[in-house]
Amino acid sequence: GAVVSQHPSRVICKSGTSVKIECRSLDFQATTMFWYRQFPKQSLMLMATSNEGSKATYEQGVEKDKFLINHASLTLSTLTVTSAHPEDSSFYICSAEVTPRSPEQFFGPGTRLTVL
Amino acid sequence: DAKTTQPNSMESNEEEPVHLPCNHSTISGTDYIHWYRQLPSQGPEYVIHGLTSNVNNRMASLAIAEDRKSSTLILHRATLRDAAVYYCILRDDFQAGTALIFGKGTTLSVSS
């Protein structure tokens, strides 16, 4: 199946710094990618939908100025957590569609962010 | 998005079949039924999906009720590696760029 990678797999940063997380589709082109976050013992929560070459669509309650999403190519989407605070500590997961209306989405392995 | 209801947890013994139920009484005609699972500290992985007919693949079987208001994911012989959170999700696959919306899922424990 198609492979989605994320980098880094885990990151620890100080409060107030910015962190960039990369999501790559390794063997396919993804027109649309999705970003989720997951707090401990909770389900995945959709943050935003990222379309190549256009602005991301954010879910209600997600601050677009804090979580910057860039989808500059068909194989790469990035999520930047700006001025991170301890409450932003979470498991961030991206997913991608192989083709529009493809029934299967492929998920990255996740990035564990810890903000001290 | 149409809502699904799953039991919070289920237990199984190794090498026994497991039936994971999902209720989706408000499903619309264009909603596909998707199942994903998430192993600890990993991203979710696709298991199976269907629209009306029962489906089989190498991982599992999906039994869909005739009125489509419920479905059951069947793992024919559970292994320890099947211990995960299983999510039943409805999605309109006819619309491009539609995200998967996750509910709480069912945590499956498998004992040896």
Side-chain angles (χ1 to χ4, degrees), chain A residues 14 42-43 47 57 71 75-76 82-83 89 98 108 111 113:
Chain A
K14 293 182 178 180
Q42 293 188 24
S43 185
M47 298 177 68
T57 302
H71 194 159
T75 59
L76 174 64
T82 62
S83 187
S89 298
V98 175
T111 296
L113 170 64

Side-chain angles (χ1 to χ4, degrees), chain B residues 39-57:
Chain B
L39 279 65
S41 298
Q42 295 186 28
E45 66 173 338
Y46 168 84
V47 178
I48 201 166
H49 80 286
L51 182 62
T52 57
S53 304
N54 294 343
V55 184
N56 299 297
N57 66 19

